[in-house]
Amino acid sequence: MGNEGQISHTDGPRRPKAFSPLREHLRDTFWFAPMAGLVGAFLLWWAASSLDLEIIASLQQEHAYTEVRELVSLTEDTKVIVTTISSAMLTFIGVVFSISLVALQMASGQRTPRVVRIFIRSRISKLTFTVFLATFLFSLLVLTSYESEPNPRQVTSVPVVQSVLTLMLVGLSLVLFVAYVSATLRLMQVGPVVDRITQETLRMLARQGTGAEGAGSGGPSAPEAGRVAHEGRAGVVLDVHVARLVRVARRHGVVLRLIPRIGDFVLPGTPVLAVHGGTVPPRRALRYTVSVGRERTFHQDLGLGLRQLSDIALRALSPAVNDPTTAVQCLDRIVQILAAVARRPLGTVHHRDRRGAVRLTQSIPDWTALVDLGLTEIRAAAVHSPQTTRRILAGIEDLLLLAPQGRQEPLLRHRTLLLQAIARAVPAAADRRFASCPDRQGIG
């Protein structure tokens, strides 16, 4: 049913980047950006302090003691401001992020616990926290540059540049605070959340590339020579370092096949790579090529977006929440994602080296798996919600118009199962007809 296609990565702008897994892993952490910001604040203070020393030394060499005295008088006034900033900034950080964590807890309870990942990956959240901490550290360092020496001939440092930079950082902190509050409030709305999940999924599809529908089997033609077992903790396969695996396979003249799918849970000792056409590369060459962690990520996981949207819709359809409008919003995005892959070749991804030889193959969810992932659980939970059943039927009709003939079977199957479930669950004929009428707005 259109699941035997192959996706080939060839030369061009979509070739895998060597450090793309590392970049994605750092985006999934919340400590890297603040630590980099603290280091940057220290370097900025060191540069500003050196510039202040040069300014004072230059004025003293020109015997401009009046100007030095004026600068000392000016910094005496700014010292009060810098002291106030340093004492209040840390308290401000604690209050702001305590409120944010409460809002995040409410959002995760109403939507899905995986919404926390959106907060962690949010650039505005990291930038705001980074600038807040950098401002606090910078103001503390500036306080060490103030001197009690009033004699302009003997003073060595007057933190003029440092004081100006402190005020600029405070201004930047206030601007980012407004943007951060706005982003946090949007996180509590279902529309921006499902849109963010959808955009992450579509960006992953764009990075993965397309390629042409190929003939033949989806796996390597050479016989299997051995397997490489997973070493380390149990966890979910997050991603693979494609560029490194391709280099290793080319260097040893083999073809590597990723055995688990991205998102599968693997145990220590279970095989993760199969080697075809030669000897197994040494373990050190394959180190850090398959990333295993605690929770799935969007980097190379084709089904994660559909999984999260389905979770949000299921929670909305539960008797405790009873929010079919949210389920309809999720279905809008599920249909959007399925429409984006309706004509794309799926099945096996072929990663090639610079000469065009296949060096790494991996399995991705096929069309039937993606349709089942997006519709099965919502269809089962939506029987008593006519708004949701009407939206599912409308989405299936739209996808039937977009999908090629060979991929229509799972869509027709879901439509038949939904109509049968409505017939069993809804006793009144008029209600059955209403629930079985496609509507893109649910009840529009």
Side-chain angles (χ1 to χ4, degrees):
M1 292 297 176
N3 299 333
E4 63 278 353
Q6 302 169 0
I7 302 173
S8 302
H9 284 282
T10 57
D11 293 336
R14 298 194 188 277
R15 285 184 59 82
K17 297 181 180 180
F19 296 102
S20 57
L22 176 60
R23 183 180 66 248
E24 289 297 319
H25 295 172
L26 291 178
R27 284 195 64 190
D28 284 327
T29 64
F30 205 78
W31 61 267
F32 179 76
M35 293 301 296
L38 292 177
V39 174
F42 179 81
L43 295 177
L44 181 62
W45 168 79
W46 178 80
S49 178
S50 301
L51 183 58
D52 284 330
L53 291 174
E54 291 292 335
I55 292 174
I56 297 302
S58 176
L59 292 175
Q60 289 175 341
Q61 288 179 0
E62 296 177 0
H63 303 286
Y65 298 116
T66 302
E67 288 77 0
V68 175
R69 186 178 296 106
E70 292 177 353
L71 291 178
V72 171
S73 176
L74 176 63
T75 54
E76 285 296 328
D77 297 331
T78 60
K79 182 179 181 180
V80 178
I81 300 175
V82 175
T83 303
T84 303
I85 293 172
S86 62
S87 60
M89 201 66 195
L90 193 60
T91 303
F92 181 65
I93 294 172
V95 172
V96 169
F97 281 88
S98 295
I99 297 174
S100 302
L101 291 178
V102 173
L104 187 63
Q105 184 179 7
M106 293 176 58
S108 63
Q110 294 173 356
R111 309 289 176 247
T112 171
R114 288 150 198 87
V115 77
V116 177
R117 185 175 178 273
I118 298 178
F119 177 83
I120 293 176
R121 288 177 64 89
S122 172
R123 289 188 174 92
I124 188 64
S125 300
K126 295 179 180 179
L127 181 60
T128 303
F129 192 47
T130 299
V131 173
F132 282 6
L133 289 179
T135 303
F136 173 68
L137 177 62
F138 191 85
S139 61
L140 290 180
L141 295 173
V142 171
L143 289 176
T144 64
S145 300
Y146 285 98
E147 295 183 3
S148 58
E149 177 59 55
N151 190 346
R153 298 175 180 271
Q154 298 181 358
V155 66
T156 59
S157 175
V158 179
V160 178
V161 177
Q162 300 172 64
S163 300
V164 172
L165 287 176
T166 303
L167 297 178
M168 293 176 62
L169 285 174
V170 171
L172 179 60
S173 299
L174 295 177
V175 173
L176 288 176
F177 171 68
V178 176
Y180 173 75
V181 171
S182 176
T184 303
L185 291 177
R186 286 175 59 84
L187 189 64
M188 300 179 66
Q189 299 174 282
V190 64
V193 171
V194 298
D195 179 71
R196 179 67 176 272
I197 294 173
T198 305
Q199 295 306 317
E200 289 269 11
T201 303
L202 296 179
R203 278 195 292 268
M204 187 278 300
L205 286 172
R207 287 195 304 265
Q208 190 180 64
T210 54
E213 194 87 10
S217 64
S221 58
E224 182 177 317
R227 294 191 172 189
V228 179
H230 168 58
E231 293 182 354
R233 64 182 181 183
V236 176
V237 179
L238 304 179
D239 52 40
V240 293
H241 200 313
V242 174
R244 183 178 296 175
L245 285 173
V246 169
R247 287 197 300 268
V248 172
R250 178 179 56 82
R251 190 178 302 119
H252 292 83
V254 298
V255 178
L256 299 175
R257 175 171 58 88
L258 183 67
I259 297 175
R261 284 182 179 176
I262 303 298
D264 285 356
F265 190 87
V266 295
L267 299 172
T270 56
V272 291
L273 288 171
V275 182
H276 296 261
T279 59
V280 178
R283 168 66 64 173
R284 64 179 181 275
L286 299 173
R287 189 175 301 171
Y288 307 121
T289 54
V290 179
S291 301
V292 175
R294 297 183 179 90
E295 191 171 0
R296 297 165 67 177
T297 68
F298 279 102
H299 184 209
Q300 298 174 4
D301 197 336
L302 181 57
L304 180 57
L306 293 173
R307 177 70 273 163
Q308 291 191 353
L309 292 172
S310 179
D311 287 344
I312 297 174
L314 289 174
R315 180 165 297 195
L317 292 173
S318 65
V321 179
N322 194 20
D323 183 13
T325 303
T326 295
V328 168
Q329 289 182 276
C330 294
L331 283 167
D332 293 340
R333 300 302 184 167
I334 289 174
V335 172
Q336 179 184 356
I337 294 173
L338 292 177
V341 298
R343 295 184 177 274
R344 293 170 64 99
L346 301 170
T348 301
V349 180
H350 284 181
H351 301 281
R352 304 176 185 272
D353 59 17
R354 295 179 179 178
R355 297 181 179 178
V358 176
R359 294 300 180 185
L360 173 65
T361 67
Q362 66 178 108
S363 176
I364 62 174
D366 56 31
W367 170 251
T368 300
L370 292 176
V371 172
D372 290 341
L373 177 59
L375 298 180
T376 301
E377 293 175 310
I378 301 178
R379 172 177 56 78
V383 176
H384 298 285
S385 172
Q387 181 180 358
T388 311
T389 59
R390 288 160 63 93
R391 181 63 186 98
I392 294 175
L393 293 172
I396 291 176
E397 286 193 354
D398 290 338
L399 291 173
L400 286 173
L401 295 175
L402 298 174
Q405 188 67 30
R407 290 187 172 182
Q408 293 188 1
E409 186 276 330
L411 298 171
L412 296 174
R413 171 168 52 86
H414 279 283
R415 184 172 66 179
T416 301
L417 291 174
L418 178 58
L419 293 175
Q420 291 175 351
I422 294 173
R424 292 192 301 268
V426 181
D431 290 339
R432 286 198 300 270
R433 287 193 299 269
F434 183 80
S436 303
C437 181
D439 188 339
R440 290 190 179 91
Q441 296 186 25
I443 301 178

